[in-house]
Amino acid sequence: MVISAELKEFFNSGYLTYIPHIYIDCVIFGYHNRKLKILLTKNGFLSEWCLPGGYMKRSESLQQAADRTIVDRTGIENLYLQQFRAFGDPNRTRYQNFDEEQWYSLTGLRLLKNNWLFDQTVSIGFFAITDFLKSIPSIDIESIESAWFNINELPELAMDHAEIVAMALKTLKIQLYHSPIGYNLLPEKFTLAEIQALYETLLEKKLDVSNFSKKLLTLGILEKANEKRNTSGHRSPYFYNFVRSNYEEALNEGIVLV
Amino acid sequence: MVISAELKEFFNSGYLTYIPHIYIDCVIFGYHNRKLKILLTKNGFLSEWCLPGGYMKRSESLQQAADRTIVDRTGIENLYLQQFRAFGDPNRTRYQNFDEEQWYSLTGLRLLKNNWLFDQTVSIGFFAITDFLKSIPSIDIESIESAWFNINELPELAMDHAEIVAMALKTLKIQLYHSPIGYNLLPEKFTLAEIQALYETLLEKKLDVSNFSKKLLTLGILEKANEKRNTSGHRSPYFYNFVRSNYEEALNEGIVLV
DNA sequence: ACAAAAGTGTTCGATCTACACCCATGT
DNA sequence: ACATGGGTGTAGATCGAACACTTTTGT
């Protein structure tokens, strides 16, 4: 990996800009057509894949740090990132297993043992969900690759990142139970089969067709549009769309779904 | 306030032991006889009251830090502390409004602007609930007083501590809805009226006598003991006790209560 | 007897679950 | 006509809210 001047600067004096002990890790779920993926990045110095994340800057808020991190590291904008847990096992630091020589041979930089990069970090976990076809990630200075992975075909993850993913998934499911989802994951108009597929994928279980649609329609979250999708070979399904006001209300008030 | 040698040492070189940017704040709910209180401490240098809390030590886990903090600061042992949120507004630091002169006149110590105590901190919020009659708090070196306050008669709180309390209370209520509580808050044997009073106080609403007991008995969490409390003037209530196995199961599996 | 608190029963309606059934359409 | 997926209807069980009722006990 080529060590840019920018990266060198980051290694040597990043602690002036960033707080050395507070890291943000983001679990970005991507959904499309019955597939649930998460976004991972390949750090240039680690063999395992990582969650996209970054240090918190001095004098910014946690939320700002998370939002900035995701834009910086993946180029994806307008994600609604939600905090779900802090992770703070001892000796939790990205480069804990490197000694000075190893680091030198990898980067050509001599970093002292007390360099800020080797400090213990507490990580604040955030998660978000997006349509992975609409969200094309880019990469940042510390990374060499960035990709969507199927949730049940994840590669080896660095540090405690597997645990972070597991907790995020658990939180996502609980959340889904109490508030609707879909605004950013489905097109403007969609069929009942499509939204049910979304829920079934996220919850990892089958739902009853009749009961599912009844629920969403009774709650007033969905309404039938006067249009059908043109399929062939069988009956064409109607389009539906979200009823914005009721959707928002369900987000605030909470519902019980499924 | 007298500045002990220990405190002086803490101010000057605490950063060697503690991570300057990570703070733990604990909301300790105390219940007894229809009263819900929280535990606050009076810091010797601030006019407002604070949540008991402390810095995280280098190379300990978040959970260890929280557990140690509560023992150190309040002397209360065996609390089950549960993480609920991280708070990280910019410029969030306990002594942010002090300048060098003020600090000197208060403490007799000359601390530089870049002293670790003035660093921005992210706080990880934990909460727990205990019986406040059984939990007599003691105080620590930075504090001059420690006391239980009724939840709706809280004094002015430092920094964002009011927000932390509000979030903790919200989390407690949601949690109560999904899992039983009472093991450490009620005596071994208690009456239905007593456990209902507990729930009504925590949830801040009245519950129906019949439905409440039916629910807990149907779930198998409570069982009737062959004993009555001796009251006078009217019918004596039966004692009940928790059925440990079902209680634990409800904790793990989740229930819906009320 | 009656007041006060303990404890039980019952009704009504909403909601969930499971499953059967009908509909539309291309071949 | 039939296969395929879209969509609806309904019986039975379960649950929850509200409230009336019975029991026990001291005065």
Side-chain angles (χ1 to χ4, degrees), chain B residues 193 210 214 224 234-235 237-238:
Chain B
S210 169
K214 238 179 291 172
K224 189 185 258 180
H234 47 77
R235 178 174 178 179
Y238 276 96

Side-chain angles (χ1 to χ4, degrees), chain A residues 193 210 214 224 233-235 237-238:
Chain A
S210 168
K214 237 177 292 172
K224 190 185 257 178
H234 48 77
R235 179 173 177 179
Y238 276 96

Side-chain angles (χ1 to χ4, degrees), chain A residues 158-173:
Chain A
M159 296 192 295
D160 55 358
H161 285 189
E163 188 196 344
I164 298 180
V165 170
M167 277 294 301
L169 193 54
K170 194 172 161 192
T171 310
L172 174 69
K173 285 183 190 174

Side-chain angles (χ1 to χ4, degrees), chain A residues 178-191:
Chain A
H178 293 288
S179 53
I181 212 171
Y183 238 106
N184 308 306
L185 302 178
L186 294 170
E188 182 76 16
K189 290 173 186 208
F190 46 85
T191 66

Side-chain angles (χ1 to χ4, degrees), chain B residues 36-51:
Chain B
L36 183 62
K37 298 174 186 268
I38 67 172
L39 184 59
L40 298 175
T41 61
K42 190 78 177 58
N43 178 298
F45 311 106
L46 295 176
S47 58
E48 305 98 344
W49 287 77
C50 292
L51 291 169

